[in-house]
Structure formats: structure tokens, C-alpha cells
Amino acid sequence: MKDIAMTRFLTTRLFVLTLLLYTSAFLFAQEDVPTHKVLILTGGHDFDVKEFYEMFDALSGIAYDKAELPKEMDLLAPGLEKKYDAIVSYDMNNFPITDAQRANFDKLMQAGMPLIVFHHSIGGYKDWLKYREIAGGAYLFENLEADGKTWPPSDYKHDVEMKIAIADKNHPITKGVNDFEILDEAYKDVYVRPDVHVLLTTDNPLATKQVAWVHRYADSPVFTIMLGHDKHAFANESLQKLIKQGIDWLVAENEKK
């Protein structure tokens, strides 16, 4: 009986020690994953709120706060780059903003605030030409004279099946992402600056060829992606990976300074 009791005792101790070992390893692994803190901007456009934030909740290593524009426009000012690793702009802010707010937003970008221009945010600030430089392009509400040609007003169509091609397979944002299909809103005749680095394209005639790109505005890395209209797009694993790796790239680029 003593041998049985001793065996049970040793087995129990071994189980507890093993459990502690695995728990410690798990906690260490969790702590070892860097967390990027982002500020998500919304406002000016309806969206599938629940599914949108569920997508961000599922992204490992990403923590976020929310801000609604134009109500919290004054947040976009120098100093914000010390509180957040990046901004995810999912707003379509075409409300009147003051000259001071425009200047502060520009100064924030000059200070090196990494930015994702996500989907309908490409149509924001339509009366502020500087935003086209920040985003690397613009959804147009009227004709635009630029780059030696006339650009017509942009157009959109919901629920379009688009084939997306990876234009740069070696970029950190597209790493591990293959060509994919997505049900999404298509933007056509969007103005895209000629000096951006294109990451994604589509051959769908209802959409602008360039779907996503990166560039630098002053000291800030910028990732612009026109996908991401609703819950169908948010559930797309390729889009999820692009957003996660987009944030990671922005932070890494900013750390190179």
C-alpha cells in the first residue's frame, strides 16, 4: 500500500510540475508577443460595427482605442504619436473642420504618425487637398486636374466579386498572402498618385486597378487599402492578414527612423 501511495504522490507531483511548466511557457509566450496600440477613427459613414470590431479583436498583438470624428478631431494633433503606434482611419470625415484642426493633423503626420487609410476613408476631407497627399490618392466627388490629365468623379458599386492580385509578393504587408477573391464594394476612377508603391491590383472593370499601396508622407509611413466595406469583407482571411501585417509594417517602418 505504501508503494501505491508513493506512486500516486509522485505522479501527482509530476502532473503539477508539468502543468506549471506549460503554464509558465504559455504566459511567457503571451508576454513575448509585442502589442501595438492603435487608434481607430470612425464617423461620417455607416458600417457593420459589430463585425468590424470583431475583426480587430481577433488580430493578435493589436490593442485599440476608438475615436469618432469630427467630434474628437482635436485628438489628431502632435503628441498623439507618443500615445499610439498607428492610426487606423475608417472615417469618412467630410464635415467642416477648422484651419487649426487641419494644421494640427498635418503637423501630426509631419511628426511621424503611422497611418492606415482604410476603405471609405479614401473619400474623406474632400475639400482639403493636403489629404490627397497624405492618403496617396482620393475618391473624387468632382473632376480633378492632376498629373497632366483630367480625372472624372469616382463611382462605387456594392457587392462586387473581385479577384485581387498581389502586385508585390515580397513586401512585408503581403507576405504569405496569395491572390484571393473578395465580395466587397468596388471604387472606380479613384485618383492614385503615380509615386505610390502598389501592393494589390484588380482587373475588375468596376474598380480602380490599384487596390492598395504604401508610401511615405513627410516622416509618416502610410498604408492605403480600398477593401473593407462590410461584414463579408471583414470575414475574409486575406483582408484580416493584410490589416494585421499592415499595422506591423507601419510600426517597423516607424522604428527605423
Side-chain angles (χ1 to χ4, degrees):
M1 294 295 291
K2 289 182 179 179
D3 290 342
I4 294 175
M6 180 59 70
T7 300
R8 288 176 176 173
F9 174 73
L10 292 174
T11 301
T12 301
R13 289 197 65 183
L14 180 61
F15 173 77
V16 172
L17 288 172
T18 303
L19 182 62
L20 288 172
L21 180 62
Y22 275 102
T23 301
S24 299
F26 174 77
L27 291 174
F28 177 79
Q30 291 296 99
E31 292 175 357
D32 196 43
V33 175
T35 298
H36 304 319
K37 189 169 184 181
V38 303
L39 180 64
I40 298 177
L41 307 178
T42 60
H45 197 293
D46 293 335
F47 64 101
D48 292 334
V49 176
K50 176 176 175 291
E51 291 82 1
F52 177 80
Y53 287 112
E54 283 178 347
M55 178 182 69
F56 278 93
D57 290 337
L59 300 182
S60 63
I62 304 297
Y64 62 85
D65 289 331
K66 307 173 186 178
E68 183 180 349
L69 301 185
K71 181 171 60 177
E72 297 178 273
M73 187 71 199
D74 288 336
L75 287 174
L76 304 183
L80 194 70
E81 77 281 1
K82 299 176 182 177
K83 300 178 182 178
Y84 294 98
D85 296 308
I87 289 175
V88 176
S89 182
Y90 196 68
D91 63 289
M92 193 173 176
N93 188 5
N94 282 313
F95 298 96
I97 59 174
T98 66
D99 290 342
Q101 288 172 329
R102 294 184 185 193
N104 281 335
F105 190 178
D106 189 35
K107 289 176 184 176
L108 173 61
M109 299 300 296
Q110 298 281 347
M113 183 78 251
L115 173 69
I116 293 183
V117 178
F118 192 5
H119 190 56
H120 49 241
S121 190
I122 193 73
Y125 306 95
K126 63 181 180 180
D127 297 323
W128 186 29
L129 298 182
K130 180 72 72 174
Y131 189 67
R132 293 174 190 161
E133 298 178 30
I134 294 173
Y139 184 99
L140 303 175
F141 295 88
E142 58 187 12
N143 288 342
L144 171 69
E145 298 292 335
D147 308 326
K149 62 178 287 188
T150 300
W151 299 78
S154 304
D155 198 4
Y156 66 91
K157 186 173 178 59
H158 292 139
D159 300 325
V160 177
E161 287 279 2
M162 289 188 285
K163 293 180 179 180
I164 306 299
I166 310 301
D168 183 354
K169 299 179 184 295
N170 297 316
H171 197 279
I173 293 178
T174 58
K175 184 179 180 181
V177 181
N178 297 317
D179 295 353
F180 62 96
E181 295 185 7
I182 189 169
L183 179 66
D184 211 331
E185 181 181 34
Y187 290 158
K188 184 177 176 60
D189 293 325
V190 170
Y191 168 68
V192 181
R193 288 173 56 94
D195 56 349
V196 301
H197 182 74
V198 177
L199 299 182
L200 306 178
T201 62
T202 184
D203 60 1
N204 193 301
L206 297 174
T208 299
K209 179 180 179 179
Q210 304 95 323
V211 176
W213 57 84
V214 292
H215 77 122
R216 186 171 286 273
Y217 175 78
D219 212 19
S220 297
V222 179
F223 170 40
T224 298
I225 180 166
M226 291 193 286
L227 303 175
H229 174 67
D230 60 13
K231 61 185 179 183
H232 301 294
F234 304 148
N236 187 287
E237 293 182 0
S238 295
L239 177 62
Q240 295 168 7
K241 191 167 187 175
L242 289 165
I243 295 300
K244 169 65 169 66
Q245 294 181 171
I247 295 171
D248 291 342
W249 176 80
L250 288 172
V251 175
E253 283 294 297
N254 209 36
E255 289 175 348
K256 291 179 182 179
K257 295 186 303 183

